[in-house]
Amino acid sequence: MKISTRLFAAASIAAISLFAGAASAQDKLVIGTEGAYPPFNVLESNGELTGFDIDIAKALCVQMKTECTFVTNDWDGIIPALQSKKFDAIIASMSITPERQQQVTFSKKYYNTPPAIAVPKDSPLTEATAASLKGKAIGAQGSTSHANYVEKHFPDADEKLYPTADEYKLDLTNGRIDGVVDDIVVLTEWVKSDAGSCCKILTPLPVDPEINGQGAGIAVRKDEQALADKFTTAIAAIRADGTYKKIQDKYFDFDVYGGDK
């Protein structure tokens, strides 16, 4: 998704360990995540990682009888960090796209939600089209599918890229940009909060399969198809036994999986 916008990616280790069920775990895995993408993954001030991605990851590790630890990494360096073996898998709301499939191997999806655009509540914008957004400053997190979406579908907008979602939210709140594009869940949760009370969802955006991909999957290194398949099997298992729904219902009041495919 992302086009590197920083000169370096600083990795910080969150001291969170998960011991999976039986005393003799089959494997040990280090899971990489961002920690700056609520409500999916958040590094709290006390060093704890929380969010839908994290709870799903823990459930998958239990299902796989695997001991997992978690590491946070800046988004724009997360694939290179995986490739350099800083961790074994990425569970960080990473969309399965053709571009990324050239760099990593994915499990099947564990959720799928569309993009949307958020604007200030007093915005004169009434629609999100290439014409209506011409000349408008539209923000997105850099090196993401959402940044690619703005570039492709709103080519005459003034695209502003940010290292994290928190930074584009701050600029939208302060009137420095006209709108932002991100996952509809991320934006909806934000505008419902006190921090996002400035703004509203203008509209969901049509899914572009080439850019938005097949949903969010778990990324592993290119030569580790067996590990990707293990995650896929575990995703199916936690959906079948009700664990997935319990986690989903903690965060959302709709089916975040996005259908059976």
Side-chain angles (χ1 to χ4, degrees):
M1 274 162 70
K2 303 184 177 179
I3 305 158
S4 183
T5 57
R6 296 182 181 183
L7 297 178
F8 64 91
S12 62
I13 297 179
I16 301 173
S17 296
L18 174 68
F19 294 93
S24 56
Q26 294 176 357
D27 297 301
K28 292 184 178 181
L29 293 174
V30 180
I31 307 297
T33 194
E34 183 185 14
Y37 197 58
F40 292 102
N41 57 80
V42 184
L43 182 60
E44 305 288 356
S45 59
N46 63 1
E48 181 185 5
L49 273 168
T50 62
F52 179 77
D53 287 336
I54 307 307
D55 287 355
I56 289 292
K58 290 179 179 181
L60 294 175
C61 290
V62 169
Q63 179 64 38
M64 294 160 56
K65 297 183 172 60
T66 299
E67 179 186 326
C68 293
T69 55
F70 293 83
V71 174
T72 60
N73 199 95
D74 283 356
W75 179 259
D76 57 10
I78 204 165
I79 287 180
L82 173 69
Q83 293 168 330
S84 64
K85 300 187 177 181
K86 290 183 179 178
F87 34 82
D88 303 300
I90 298 170
I91 304 182
S93 293
M94 181 171 282
S95 298
I96 305 166
T97 66
E99 179 184 358
R100 290 202 183 105
Q101 286 175 314
Q102 296 177 17
Q103 303 176 71
V104 299
T105 295
F106 281 100
S107 70
K108 290 190 176 179
K109 71 170 184 177
Y110 64 97
Y111 81 86
N112 192 8
T113 51
I117 182 167
V119 298
K121 285 182 176 176
D122 61 357
S123 172
L125 290 169
T126 59
E127 59 181 358
T129 64
S132 67
L133 298 186
K134 182 177 181 180
K136 302 296 184 182
I138 304 299
Q141 186 177 0
S143 303
T144 65
S145 59
H146 307 296
N148 295 342
Y149 194 102
V150 174
E151 182 178 3
K152 177 179 177 180
H153 292 280
F154 310 123
D156 295 321
D158 179 15
E159 184 175 21
K160 304 290 188 183
L161 300 182
Y162 297 85
T164 70
D166 286 343
E167 287 153 302
Y168 77 57
K169 291 172 183 175
L170 184 62
D171 270 8
L172 187 61
T173 299
N174 292 326
R176 289 191 281 265
I177 54 177
D178 300 297
V180 295
V181 173
D182 206 329
D183 184 278
I184 193 169
V185 173
V186 171
L187 293 178
T188 299
E189 292 298 307
W190 178 59
V191 301
K192 290 192 314 187
S193 70
D194 291 341
S197 61
C198 61
C199 301
K200 65 182 180 180
I201 301 295
L202 178 62
T203 182
L205 296 170
V207 171
D208 182 332
E210 182 180 333
I211 292 176
N212 302 117
Q214 308 159 34
I218 298 166
V220 300
R221 286 179 284 275
K222 282 290 287 182
D223 59 349
E224 296 186 347
Q225 183 67 55
L227 179 57
D229 291 344
K230 192 173 180 181
F231 276 116
T232 293
T233 299
I235 291 167
I238 66 169
R239 280 179 52 74
D241 69 11
T243 301
Y244 184 97
K245 189 175 188 306
K246 288 180 182 177
I247 296 171
Q248 171 189 277
D249 291 351
K250 176 180 173 182
Y251 295 94
F252 314 114
D253 56 5
F254 61 93
D255 175 20
V256 74
Y257 188 77
D260 293 331
K261 293 184 179 181

